[in-house]
Amino acid sequence: MSRQLISADDFVKINKPGCYNGGEVNAVDKSSQKESLTRFAFCFPDTYEVGMSHLGLQILYFYLNRRGDTWCERAFMPWFDMVALLKEKNAPLFAIESGDGLKDFDILGFTLQYEMSYTNMLAMLDLAGIPFRAEDRGGDYPLICAGGPCATNPEPMADFVDFFYIGDGEATLDIVLDMYRENKGTKTDFLASICNVPGVYVPRFYDAEYSEEGNLGGFTPNHSEAPARVARAFSPSLGYFPDRFIVPLVESVHNRAVVEIARGCMRGCRFCQAGFIYRPLRERTPDEILTHAKNLMDTTGHEEISLLALSACDHEDFSPLIDVLLEETSRRRVNISLPSTRVDAVSLEAISKTQALRKTSLTVAPEAGSQKMRDVINKNLTEEEILEGCYRAFMAGYDKIKLYFMAGLPGEGREDVLAIADLAESVVDTYYRLDYEARKRPVSISVSTACFVPKAFTPFQWVAMADPADFTEGQQAVKSTIRKKQISYRYHDAKTAHIEGILARGDRRLGKAIEAAYKNGAIFDGWSEHFSYAVWLEAFSEVGIDPELYTREKATDELLPWDFIDMGVTKEFLVREWEKAQAGETTPNCREFCTGCGCEC
């Protein structure tokens, strides 16, 4: 197949003033050609301010728009006042480049980053005048696809989606669009034609069966083209990266340019879904990263650039990379920021160099307070290493450290929860090991505790999830144990986490509950002020679903809703890691982390 690709110079010509949205810098306008193009809307089921901070949106927007036969536009979930206005004016939800209603597009692609955004996806379809369920959408409606990390268990949203795209978007999405242009027959014909494209899962071509006890009893294809196992889309290298980003018209949640320096991780933390589904680790070279950083600084004007990876400091060339970047960013007065960091001497030396323009807080993620629990989750970090790293950070001039933990981990006891407070107080004590002259400002330690949610394709996918009362009791115990005034403590809402856990391990029967929750008022559930636990409990009751089916402990030989997907890690490998977790055994960090091939890494 041949496809026409547009050069970077052509992007500049395409991006001219007069777009419907007011002409954000670098937005793509192909309105003069739209009748001959495949119309694709990248739909983000949250606000513009949140969506425009999402790197995947920026990458796929320009990846698709590089095609001469495709116009990718954007749509977001409007806030309550805009929802009311659209309904009052009887106007459909529209894409912001052209202003055309979403119903006029060929394909709507939803990114599912968080289970609590599921009802927002239904809200966007509703506002667009598009039926929720795939079976109710004939040929006059666009195809609905979905991807993102939540698509690793697509079943809760299976009733609403024509096809899921699972894995790296740069890998086979071109093939899907090529086949769309070649197969202008019925939806069923097109969906059958893409069934064997890596990453594509078509729910209507599979049947699920359930036992009398309510467990998943069988999952089989019902179409000759549908494979028994769906392989993820995988890009062996991180080749494509845009040379520009759209610059938001208003301040976004993360108002900066971002360069993805690596995908995957060498750490193997057993709770971390991203660490398993993005295996093996792939890194960009320092020269590639510098080129991308220069391009973004040239074309966006952002005053900060973030180096994105699951563990940025683990990049093989991290220290020399920082030196090379600083030569460029210092000249431009652009700050470099990093996500959660490793606190060893080499990393801290490099990180400190990035703070020359503006000293910010340092983020450290011990994840568990006790050594026992850090071994269970395979954190491979001792308390001595944590405290020594914090000491080095204080010596380097940091006086604000954020500590991230989780509660409700498998095998956790009360003493393990209280160890969170003990470790935080030890960090404060470490600050006062400094000479008086070195303590220029009061130290500030921010402690955040998340509720552990078991996720698909991790060694903890079988464990029981703690109930909200247990989470809350543990949070209050930590809060009451912290005595030092230098520590601030925040924790996630236990009831929100409970619903997230149900959706994360759900099967396609949950589609009825998601629809009922939306109809009863559940939208923007990821925003604490709008989440209603009662609405969800009512929805489960209304459709006759016992939520505990999805939060209970599962046997390792039980059929799970996502077992038909090949995410690159074998079930045998995950079982082995789960058994090691139960025994308190760790697995060493490994740059060539095994994906289940049987190696001893």
Side-chain angles (χ1 to χ4, degrees):
M1 296 179 186
S2 62
R3 58 181 74 95
Q4 177 193 356
L5 301 182
I6 299 176
S7 69
D9 288 340
D10 289 330
F11 270 137
V12 176
K13 296 172 186 174
I14 288 169
N15 177 37
K16 51 196 175 188
C19 297
Y20 181 87
N21 66 347
E24 298 153 293
V25 172
N26 298 327
V28 175
D29 177 17
K30 298 185 182 181
S31 54
S32 63
Q33 314 157 46
K34 68 180 183 180
E35 299 304 325
S36 62
L37 301 176
T38 298
R39 305 286 302 279
F40 188 104
F42 188 106
C43 299
F44 196 92
D46 210 317
T47 64
Y48 176 91
E49 293 86 347
V50 175
M52 288 303 296
S53 298
H54 177 52
L55 178 62
L57 180 152
Q58 300 277 8
I59 292 176
L60 289 178
Y61 180 84
F62 288 103
Y63 181 78
L64 295 178
N65 275 320
R66 88 197 197 292
R67 296 174 59 105
D69 60 8
T70 302
W71 186 14
C72 177
E73 303 181 50
R74 292 160 295 146
F76 301 90
M77 178 64 197
W79 198 245
F80 293 91
D81 54 350
M82 185 63 174
V83 170
L85 185 62
L86 288 173
K87 291 180 177 179
E88 177 189 335
K89 301 296 184 182
N90 196 28
L93 183 61
F94 52 86
I96 64 176
E97 278 79 0
S98 66
D100 292 338
L102 295 184
K103 194 159 60 172
D104 297 334
F105 281 72
D106 296 299
I107 303 173
L108 305 185
F110 286 86
T111 181
L112 302 178
Q113 297 292 313
Y114 180 34
E115 289 85 356
M116 301 311 295
S117 69
Y118 287 173
T119 54
N120 274 18
M121 175 177 160
L122 297 191
M124 292 179 74
L125 292 176
D126 198 10
L127 289 168
I130 298 172
F132 297 147
R133 295 180 172 270
E135 64 187 13
D136 297 328
R137 296 191 297 264
D140 293 337
Y141 291 101
L143 286 155
I144 307 299
C145 72
C150 292
T152 53
N153 177 21
E155 287 302 275
M157 297 297 284
D159 289 343
F160 314 118
V161 175
D162 292 304
F163 71 96
F164 285 89
Y165 185 90
I166 302 166
D168 297 328
E170 313 94 316
T172 61
L173 200 50
D174 265 337
I175 299 173
V176 172
L177 290 171
D178 288 343
M179 297 183 78
Y180 177 78
R181 293 187 69 84
E182 291 182 6
N183 292 274
K184 287 292 187 178
T186 66
K187 281 186 178 181
T188 301
D189 292 338
F190 165 68
L191 293 171
S193 75
I194 62 172
C195 263
N196 285 285
V197 175
V200 173
Y201 163 54
V202 182
R204 72 180 67 183
F205 294 157
Y206 295 80
D207 293 324
E209 300 173 2
Y210 304 95
S211 68
E212 290 183 2
E213 294 78 21
N215 302 325
L216 183 62
F219 192 83
T220 54
N222 61 33
H223 192 286
S224 59
E225 295 296 326
R229 283 183 63 76
V230 173
R232 66 169 174 169
F234 178 73
S235 179
S237 63
L238 301 181
Y240 179 80
F241 195 83
D243 65 353
R244 64 197 66 220
F245 281 2
I246 308 165
V247 181
L249 290 172
V250 298
E251 187 171 353
S252 56
V253 172
H254 300 299
N255 199 31
R256 59 197 177 211
V258 181
V259 177
E260 182 188 31
I261 66 173
R263 194 175 299 176
C265 186
M266 60 177 277
R267 293 283 159 178
C269 299
R270 292 173 179 137
F271 62 86
C272 180
Q273 185 182 57
F276 287 90
I277 66 176
Y278 293 126
R279 290 187 179 198
L281 174 64
R282 292 152 283 167
E283 297 178 335
R284 299 189 193 276
T285 67
D287 285 344
E288 289 176 313
I289 294 166
L290 179 61
T291 297
H292 296 321
K294 284 181 175 179
N295 287 338
L296 294 180
M297 287 186 283
D298 287 341
T299 59
T300 67
H302 282 299
E303 297 178 348
E304 181 171 286
I305 191 159
S306 177
L307 305 182
L308 183 65
L310 290 175
S311 183
C313 295
D314 285 327
H315 191 285
E316 194 166 26
D317 298 307
F318 180 71
S319 189
L321 167 63
I322 293 297
D323 289 337
V324 169
L325 281 175
L326 278 171
E327 290 182 17
E328 188 67 28
T329 58
S330 298
R331 180 177 64 82
R332 299 177 186 240
R333 305 293 292 173
V334 171
N335 193 54
I336 297 175
S337 68
L338 297 162
S340 176
T341 50
R342 195 178 67 221
V343 285
D344 60 32
V346 175
S347 298
L348 279 171
E349 180 183 2
I351 294 164
S352 294
K353 295 176 184 177
T354 71
Q355 302 295 300
L357 288 180
R358 179 164 59 90
K359 187 75 74 175
T360 60
S361 62
L362 190 69
T363 300
V364 182
E367 306 294 0
S370 70
Q371 192 59 50
K372 182 191 93 174
M373 294 313 303
R374 285 194 293 275
D375 290 344
V376 167
I377 65 177
N378 201 48
K379 188 62 183 177
N380 284 319
L381 192 63
T382 66
E383 180 166 332
E384 291 74 18
E385 290 170 326
I386 295 167
L387 296 179
E388 183 59 27
C390 290
Y391 181 79
R392 292 194 188 104
F394 294 141
M395 287 289 291
Y398 288 92
D399 52 40
K400 294 182 177 66
I401 291 182
K402 297 177 181 177
L403 299 175
Y404 286 171
F405 297 92
M406 282 186 298
L409 291 161
E412 178 184 86
R414 176 49 58 88
E415 67 280 4
D416 301 306
V417 177
L418 297 180
I420 293 172
D422 294 339
L423 182 55
E425 296 204 334
S426 295
V427 172
V428 175
D429 293 339
T430 298
Y431 180 75
Y432 288 100
R433 285 170 46 197
L434 271 63
D435 294 336
Y436 180 79
E437 293 76 14
R439 292 183 259 129
K440 297 178 180 178
R441 289 177 296 274
V443 68
S444 174
I445 306 300
S446 173
V447 175
S448 178
T449 303
C451 301
F452 166 67
V453 176
K455 297 279 182 162
F457 296 105
T458 69
F460 292 161
Q461 64 182 4
W462 296 282
V463 307
M465 183 177 172
D467 63 41
D470 291 335
F471 279 129
T472 301
E473 186 179 345
Q475 291 163 347
Q476 294 303 314
V478 173
K479 184 176 181 179
S480 63
T481 303
I482 294 173
R483 300 297 182 192
K484 295 186 183 295
K485 65 181 180 180
Q486 297 91 343
I487 300 173
S488 62
Y489 180 53
R490 297 183 305 157
Y491 45 87
H492 292 190
D493 180 64
K495 292 178 179 178
T496 304
H498 186 228
I499 301 302
E500 179 188 346
I502 294 165
L503 298 177
R505 295 199 299 181
D507 51 46
R508 65 174 60 181
R509 290 174 295 184
L510 278 182
K512 296 181 295 183
I514 294 168
E515 184 174 348
Y518 168 66
K519 289 179 177 178
N520 290 338
I523 59 171
F524 284 110
D525 284 321
W527 297 67
S528 58
E529 64 268 37
H530 299 294
F531 170 75
S532 171
Y533 191 55
V535 164
W536 279 96
L537 295 184
E538 181 184 349
F540 294 133
S541 175
E542 185 178 317
V543 300
I545 285 178
D546 178 6
E548 301 311 308
L549 277 174
Y550 306 106
T551 57
R552 64 168 176 78
E553 183 178 351
K554 299 176 183 295
T556 54
D557 60 355
E558 184 176 333
L559 183 64
L560 301 175
W562 52 88
D563 276 346
F564 70 97
I565 299 173
D566 178 3
M567 282 302 297
V569 289
T570 66
K571 196 164 188 174
E572 292 75 20
F573 174 70
L574 296 177
V575 168
R576 189 163 71 245
E577 282 295 296
W578 170 224
E579 291 172 345
K580 291 175 72 173
Q582 291 172 291
E585 299 174 6
T586 60
T587 298
N589 299 328
C590 178
R591 296 200 65 79
E592 305 297 331
F593 236 145
C594 156
T595 57
C597 59
C599 75
E600 295 302 320
C601 64

